[in-house]
Amino acid sequence: MSQQGIILIIVGAVASMLAIGGLIIGATYIIRPRLLLRKRMSQIGVIGDGAVSEKGEGRRQKRIQEKIKQLEQKGEKKGRWDALEEDILQAGMNFSVGVYLIISACVGVLCAFFVLMAGLNPLIAIPALLLGGLGFPKLFLKFIARRRQKLFTQNFAEAIDVIVRGIRSGLPVNECFNIIAREYGPPLGEEFRLIVEGQRLGIEIEELMRRGLRRLPTSEYKFFAIVTQIQKQTGGNLAETLGNLSGVLRERKKMRDKIQAYSSEAKASAMIIGSLPFVVGGLLSVVNPDYIALLFTETKGNYMLAGGAFWMLCGIGVMSKMINFEI
């Protein structure tokens, strides 16, 4: 078989794997979170007065389901440009989408330049350009966004307790929000500061919550937004409602910490397995450098390195999904 035929087979295999991976990611990140959100809200649907009648509880459940549908519909109506804007907002960055595209192009060109300077096959520069321009900046934004969401969720239950104590002591809700904005650091304090400033400008609470969910699309924040909007429409004891929500969030945090403790052994094993190819390669380069150099000097060796890197990334992704659970 000619070299061109081998290249076509490799490209076809990589394209097939990317298509399958896209379908799996779509099912994981789009369909499954919505089902989990519906299940969680059905579990905490009795937030508030536990002595309500079945008819009133049915109306409450209906309003909660309507709010969930509204949140889902608002999240669906967005294009690629809007998705990039939301990624930048969730990461807490202040630059525009145009600046992000320029940075992505520079990163892709640098990756391709390093591949060419290393003396590797020029064909490898093309996937390096695509990976550096489309993959690395996106992963960086996702990493920063996950870290911000983790910091927000870490003290969110305590912030709700502050609101509950303030309401029971006679303070207005807006002043309770202002206390959280002053006492807590970003992103939690910053988010409540934006809510307070928006209310002073006369913006509706629903619009403020919608904007907040664009910046921090966590399940905890969605629960808080839905409970606040439902309570505004139906009335009742807001302190008791938020107190029950705080208890639910604390139990979720306990379960999440327990899972992290149980999965620590699996994470250590994944790190050891993932580092083995590099350790073995380094030892071989010391013991027999000519043997390992064939992977970098020969065309087939370059293909083997690219294939090994691709399958290793797939394995890391699978292990990451196996040891990380959504609560």
Side-chain angles (χ1 to χ4, degrees), residues 243-307:
N244 292 335
L245 177 61
S246 175
V248 172
L249 297 183
R250 289 183 183 278
E251 291 299 324
R252 283 168 52 84
K253 187 176 183 300
K254 288 181 182 179
M255 181 63 68
R256 189 181 295 110
D257 293 340
K258 185 180 294 186
I259 289 175
Q260 290 292 331
Y262 287 158
S263 62
S264 59
E265 182 179 356
K267 290 181 179 179
S269 301
M271 293 176 62
I272 293 172
I273 295 173
S275 63
L276 280 178
F278 301 100
V279 174
V280 174
L283 293 176
L284 286 176
S285 63
V286 174
V287 176
N288 193 351
D290 295 333
Y291 179 77
I292 198 68
L294 295 175
L295 294 174
F296 301 94
T297 57
E298 297 292 333
T299 303
K300 294 182 179 179
N302 295 335
Y303 291 148
M304 293 175 65
L305 284 176

Side-chain angles (χ1 to χ4, degrees), residues 45-205:
V46 295
I47 295 177
D49 189 2
V52 295
S53 63
E54 293 183 359
K55 186 177 180 180
E57 185 65 26
R59 289 197 298 266
R60 191 180 187 86
Q61 290 283 352
K62 185 177 180 180
R63 291 193 181 97
I64 291 174
Q65 294 298 329
E66 290 176 355
K67 291 297 179 182
I68 294 174
K69 291 180 180 179
Q70 291 177 6
L71 291 174
E72 292 177 353
Q73 290 174 359
K74 290 175 181 178
E76 289 175 354
K77 297 179 181 179
K78 60 182 180 180
R80 293 183 179 179
W81 196 270
D82 295 332
L84 286 176
E85 287 183 349
E86 287 196 1
D87 290 339
I88 296 171
L89 280 175
Q90 293 171 17
M93 304 295 180
N94 295 322
F95 51 80
S96 62
V97 178
V99 175
Y100 169 78
L101 294 177
I102 294 173
I103 294 173
S104 300
C106 293
V107 172
V109 171
L110 285 176
C111 291
F113 176 75
F114 287 143
V115 169
L116 295 176
M117 291 298 295
L120 299 177
N121 193 314
L123 293 175
I124 303 179
I126 297 176
L129 175 66
L130 297 176
L131 182 62
L134 302 177
F136 290 156
K138 189 80 169 180
L139 291 175
F140 177 75
L141 288 180
K142 293 294 185 182
F143 172 76
I144 298 298
R146 284 195 298 268
R147 189 174 67 176
R148 291 186 76 247
Q149 293 173 13
K150 184 177 180 181
L151 290 174
F152 178 84
T153 307
Q154 187 175 2
N155 298 318
F156 190 53
E158 296 178 2
I160 293 179
D161 288 338
V162 172
I163 298 174
V164 172
R165 290 194 294 268
I167 293 174
R168 288 175 177 172
S169 63
L171 292 176
V173 178
N174 194 32
E175 182 60 28
C176 298
F177 288 174
N178 198 15
I179 293 174
I180 298 173
R182 292 196 309 264
E183 298 297 331
Y184 288 87
L188 180 59
E190 180 182 359
E191 185 60 37
F192 276 89
R193 178 181 60 81
L194 293 175
I195 294 176
V196 172
E197 293 177 353
Q199 288 182 328
R200 289 175 180 173
L201 294 175
I203 303 175
E204 293 292 335
I205 189 66

